[in-house]
């Protein structure tokens, strides 16, 4: 069993009541079966269970706050009964684990303010630690191991492109080209059917993917034509996001604010000029957007081992990064062209809570990114260009 985690993973420390947005508010906290059984059978059962909906397996809420969360933003379950009685969700958050057969990848969720601070850190250079516990034997999810190794190679190539001393624009377009070529081969491989996915075909398709990754080079992007303006495409993206399941009460207002201050108040030419001014303003801090993109790629790309849809995951990572950047530009413009690192961290954890903590939103976005014509290759390139 191998474990992989970002280099900054072990630097996380919860700041409890000092957190600007507690993780005990804004969503229902799901209780794992083992913890629920413990709550029902323990000596403190009466006290604990009056705060629990046993049918839904969640902690009851006062408004949008967990009923154990006191006025000091501290947990009464922890204070009165002890740390051992925290459920798996409360013990782990913002730590997150994905199981890919014999590989487990750990991450910190950007929805946590302290995690967002680490993710945006200047020292986050895409380094990962691997721990091999070969003595641990467990029943794992079944995955196509050769496909997984190929996807790991693709992700490594993406990270390699991100480390290049080049503009964000050029790196993103190169990665879009990469996803186009890889996706074609993956769809061909998927159509073979289980019986035909033998060693010969794996070598054929996966070898072609690795060769494509090794030979990826800058394309002639001037030939990519799009009939829509950057502003028009972005406005449509914001409108789509506004229609997602609402996790944050202010989400529609935040999206309307972006539309109002950036798109409705500026011509196409004025908007492009604002984009260039913001780029210049953020020049010394552009690593923040590199890190955001890397975070989404690390967290989601390997999920393609189950649905073969790597291009949707690349587009998802790019879209999330660009919307966070667009939100930041709106904040910058509305604050007399001042935008702090703390402002960006806040946008990141608010965005993450809205998108990453809703299965419905994640599934909707994957479907839209795969099929909606507004997310075609030409349009995605257009929103990257300035």
């Amino acid at each position: 069993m191998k474990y992989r985690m970002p280099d900054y993973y072990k630097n996380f420390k919860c700041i409890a009541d000092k957190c600007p947005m507690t993780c005990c508010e804004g969503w229902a906290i799901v209780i794992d079966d083992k913890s629920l059984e413990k709550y029902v059978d323990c000596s403190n059962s009466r006290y604990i269970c009056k705060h629990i909906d046993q049918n839904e397996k969640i902690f009851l809420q006062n408004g949008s706050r967990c009923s154990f969360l006191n006025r000091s933003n501290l947990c009464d379950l922890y204070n009165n009964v002890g740390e051992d009685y925290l459920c798996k969700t409360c013990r782990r958050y913002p730590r997150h684990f994905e199981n890919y057969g014999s590989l487990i990848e750990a991450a910190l969720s950007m929805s946590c303010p302290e995690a967002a601070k680490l993710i945006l850190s200047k020292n986050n250079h895409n380094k990962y630690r691997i721990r091999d516990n070969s003595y641990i034997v467990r029943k794992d999810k079944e995955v196509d191991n050769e496909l997984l190794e190929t996807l790991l190679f693709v992700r490594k190539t993406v990270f390699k492109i991100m480390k290049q001393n080049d503009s964000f624009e050029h790196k993103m377009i190169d990665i879009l080209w990469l996803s186009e070529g890889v996706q074609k081969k993956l769809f061909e491989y998927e159509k073979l059917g289980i019986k035909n996915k033998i060693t010969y075909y794996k070598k054929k398709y996966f070898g072609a993917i690795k060769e494509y990754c090794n030979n990826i080079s800058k394309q002639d992007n001037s030939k990519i034509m799009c009939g829509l303006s950057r502003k028009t495409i972005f406005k449509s993206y914001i409108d789509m996001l506004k229609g997602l399941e609402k996790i944050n009460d202010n989400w529609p207002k935040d999206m309307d604010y972006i539309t109002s201050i950036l798109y409705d108040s500026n011509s196409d030419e004025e908007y492009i000029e604002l984009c260039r001014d913001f780029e210049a303003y953020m020049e010394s801090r552009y690593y923040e957007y590199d890190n955001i993109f890397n975070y989404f790629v690390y967290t989601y790309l390997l999920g393609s081992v189950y649905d073969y849809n790597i291009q949707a995951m690349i587009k998802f990572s790019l879209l999330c990064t660009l919307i966070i950047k667009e939100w930041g530009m709106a904040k910058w413009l509305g604050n007399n062209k001042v935008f702090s690192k703390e402002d960006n961290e806040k946008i990141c954890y608010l965005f993450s809570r809205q998108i990453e903590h809703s299965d419905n939103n994640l599934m909707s976005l994957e479907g839209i990114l795969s099929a909606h014509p507004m997310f075609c290759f030409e349009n995605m390139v257009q929103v990257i260009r300035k």
Side-chain angles (χ1 to χ4, degrees), residues 293-321:
F293 179 76
N294 288 341
Y295 162 79
F296 284 111
V297 169
Y298 173 75
T299 305
Y300 292 100
L301 188 144
L302 291 191
S304 310
V305 76
Y306 299 114
D307 64 8
Y308 304 94
N309 202 352
I310 192 172
Q311 190 171 38
M313 292 299 95
I314 291 291
K315 287 182 177 180
F316 172 77
S317 302
L318 176 57
L319 176 68
C320 291
T321 306

Side-chain angles (χ1 to χ4, degrees), residues 2-258:
K2 289 186 177 180
Y3 296 84
R4 180 183 281 110
M5 63 193 70
D7 194 48
Y8 56 80
Y9 180 84
K10 291 192 175 181
N11 294 335
F12 172 78
K13 291 182 180 178
C14 177
I15 58 174
D17 56 316
K18 297 180 179 63
C19 185
M21 180 163 280
T22 174
C23 55
C24 305
E25 182 178 7
W27 43 46
I29 298 172
V30 178
I31 306 168
D32 58 285
D33 291 337
K34 188 175 180 180
S35 295
L36 187 61
E37 185 178 331
K38 184 176 182 178
Y39 296 155
V40 172
D41 294 338
C42 72
S43 58
N44 294 291
S45 176
R46 181 176 295 183
Y47 166 69
I48 297 175
C49 287
K50 71 179 182 180
H51 295 277
I52 291 174
D53 182 331
Q54 293 189 43
N55 291 325
E56 295 295 326
K57 298 181 181 180
I58 58 173
F59 291 113
L60 295 173
Q61 292 181 298
N62 289 327
S64 62
R65 293 165 62 90
C66 175
S67 59
F68 277 118
L69 185 65
N70 62 33
R71 292 182 179 179
S72 300
N73 274 353
L74 294 171
C75 176
D76 279 338
L77 179 62
Y78 181 98
N79 290 336
N80 298 332
V81 185
E83 183 179 0
D84 290 343
Y85 282 83
L86 294 177
C87 69
K88 185 185 292 185
T89 301
C90 296
R91 287 197 310 272
R92 286 185 171 182
Y93 182 84
R95 301 166 189 87
H96 174 70
F97 303 91
E98 287 293 341
N99 188 335
Y100 304 106
S102 60
L103 170 67
I104 292 179
E105 292 205 331
L108 296 177
S109 174
M110 196 164 63
S111 59
C112 166
E114 281 299 293
K117 185 181 294 185
L118 288 171
I119 290 164
L120 266 63
S121 167
K122 189 172 184 178
N123 293 324
N124 175 13
H125 293 303
N126 229 16
K127 296 177 181 176
Y128 299 92
R129 299 179 182 181
I130 297 179
R131 179 161 52 92
D132 192 347
N133 286 346
S134 55
Y135 59 87
I136 296 179
V137 179
R138 53 181 289 175
K139 187 177 181 180
D140 302 309
K141 287 184 179 179
E142 289 189 11
V143 298
D144 185 330
N145 287 313
E146 290 88 347
L147 174 58
L148 178 64
E149 287 299 319
T150 303
L151 292 175
L152 284 165
F153 186 85
V154 174
R155 190 176 69 178
K156 185 177 179 180
T157 304
V158 171
F159 289 154
K160 184 178 179 181
I161 293 172
M162 290 302 296
K163 288 180 181 178
Q164 292 174 358
N165 186 22
D166 206 342
S167 69
F168 185 80
E169 174 184 338
H170 287 154
K171 289 187 289 190
M172 289 299 103
I173 294 177
D174 279 353
I175 290 169
L176 276 178
W177 277 116
L178 178 70
S179 70
E180 279 273 299
V182 171
Q183 189 61 72
K184 289 176 183 177
K185 290 297 178 185
L186 282 184
F187 279 159
E188 289 174 10
Y189 176 69
E190 182 186 16
K191 290 176 183 178
L192 289 175
I194 295 175
K195 290 183 179 180
N196 291 323
K197 289 175 182 174
I198 55 177
T199 302
Y200 169 77
Y201 286 109
K202 288 182 178 183
K203 286 182 178 180
K204 175 184 175 182
Y205 287 103
F206 298 161
I209 288 173
K210 289 185 177 182
E211 183 179 357
Y212 183 77
C213 290
N214 286 328
N215 294 309
I216 188 71
S217 59
K218 292 183 178 62
Q219 312 293 321
D220 184 1
N221 299 321
S222 63
K223 295 181 180 179
I224 303 173
M225 303 302 294
C226 177
L228 300 174
S229 71
R230 188 178 196 264
K231 188 183 81 168
T232 299
I233 299 170
F234 253 127
K235 190 174 186 298
S236 72
Y237 290 174
I238 295 293
D239 287 341
M240 289 182 193
L241 289 174
K242 192 171 69 171
L244 296 176
E245 178 186 17
K246 186 173 69 173
I247 305 300
N248 299 328
D249 288 338
N250 288 328
W251 177 254
K253 294 179 182 177
D254 290 332
M255 296 299 100
D256 284 338
Y257 177 74
I258 297 172

